[in-house]
Amino acid sequence: MIGRATREEEAEGSERTCIVTRRKASPETMIRFVRGPDGVIAPDIRARLPGRGVWVGARADLVAQAAKKSLFSRGLKEKVEAPPQLAQDVDRLLEADCLQMLALANKAGAVVTGFNKVADALARRGTAALIEASDGGMDGKRKLRQNARRAGDPDGSQGAGAPPVVGLFTSSQLDLALGRTNVIHAALGAGGPAESFLARCRRLAAYRGVGLDGAPENAPIARDELTGAGERPDEELEFIGLEKAQDRKPDE
């Protein structure tokens, strides 16, 4: 998984030390950086680049702190330049990594889009993730989230087995990844690409300090997101025949 790590890194075992916090953690929860040929620090988000590397906890604030305090030079024991926008550059790389995996899942036929098709996929169960555009309409999101909870726990009210909701990307980003237009809702089928996509999304969410659905961590749950708290009658939650959401932009 770590690729061509140096002997020194291999000797450290399965944990790495963050140069900011000095805490040890698994590589999956951190980001590796190496010195580029031009003397500028380079993110190595897949931990495959050759040469000596240093590690930072996968959080935007930690990357920004490492750049500001010249901790990369200290960790590598040589002068390197850290651009001030490094934290934003890492965010874009993590985001692109997620969308690339989503595109691969789509090529494998594991993605369906459109409100009604997604509702049908949830009804059949086995959906690995419910994907929604961050700039999509709230009405459609609420209805499909209710359906996802019902799919996870058809006889109860907790929805413990419901597929996770991914809301980290805009509609335009989903359009490009899936090669379609006006993508607001998508469902990702279970299988190989699904776990890889979700693992990447969890790292991006942690880096941004938000939940997988894009909401700030520890944010209060809206009343109409709680099952049994002001929900519409059950007949409006049926999987088949749901009215199309009135989203910000038309869905397919």
Side-chain angles (χ1 to χ4, degrees):
M1 177 203 62
I2 299 304
R4 292 177 290 178
T6 64
R7 290 182 180 178
E8 184 174 343
E9 286 176 320
E10 290 173 348
E12 293 178 2
S14 60
E15 291 188 328
R16 303 290 183 265
T17 301
C18 173
I19 61 173
V20 179
T21 66
R22 306 309 303 170
R23 294 176 181 171
K24 291 184 178 293
S26 66
E28 293 85 352
T29 63
M30 306 182 78
I31 297 171
R32 184 175 185 259
F33 293 84
V34 299
R35 183 185 185 277
D38 55 358
V40 177
I41 200 72
D44 180 20
I45 63 169
R46 294 189 178 179
R48 294 177 179 173
L49 295 178
R52 177 181 173 83
V54 292
W55 298 76
V56 178
R59 282 173 26 199
D61 60 326
L62 294 180
V63 174
Q65 188 175 345
K68 182 178 180 179
K69 295 186 175 182
S70 301
L71 298 182
F72 292 110
S73 295
R74 188 182 305 173
L76 290 171
K77 296 181 174 59
E78 60 178 323
K79 180 65 175 177
V80 292
E81 179 184 347
Q85 76 282 2
L86 182 62
Q88 292 89 338
D89 292 342
V90 172
D91 186 283
R92 285 191 290 270
L93 289 171
L94 294 175
E95 187 177 71
D97 196 35
C98 294
L99 292 169
Q100 182 180 28
M101 184 54 62
L102 181 61
L104 291 175
N106 183 54
K107 289 181 179 179
V111 180
V112 297
T113 61
F115 184 89
N116 290 328
K117 290 181 180 179
V118 171
D120 289 344
L122 291 171
R124 293 192 296 270
R125 301 187 175 89
T127 298
L130 171 61
I131 304 169
E132 57 187 32
S134 59
D135 51 350
M138 291 305 299
D139 188 45
K141 292 181 183 181
R142 178 181 57 77
K143 291 176 181 177
L144 289 179
R145 287 189 185 199
Q146 288 171 344
N147 286 347
R149 286 194 295 270
R150 182 67 62 85
D153 188 9
D155 300 320
S157 60
Q158 300 302 312
V165 178
V166 178
L168 301 171
F169 314 108
T170 66
S171 177
S172 296
Q173 289 175 317
L174 295 177
D175 290 351
L176 290 173
L178 300 176
R180 308 174 196 183
T181 58
N182 298 331
V183 177
I184 303 297
H185 311 288
L188 176 63
E195 282 307 311
S196 296
F197 171 71
L198 286 172
R200 286 165 169 77
C201 288
R202 290 187 182 101
R203 185 160 74 148
L204 175 61
Y207 184 80
R208 292 177 173 176
V210 299
L212 197 58
D213 62 354
E217 290 288 0
N218 303 319
I221 301 174
R223 181 175 175 79
D224 64 1
E225 283 294 322
L226 292 171
T227 303
E231 279 191 356
R232 299 183 180 184
D234 286 346
E235 60 266 24
E236 294 191 25
L237 301 181
E238 293 296 328
F239 295 114
I240 307 301
L242 275 169
E243 62 178 351
K244 192 173 182 181
Q246 298 299 313
D247 284 331
R248 177 188 60 81
K249 34 196 298 195
D251 207 352
E252 49 212 54

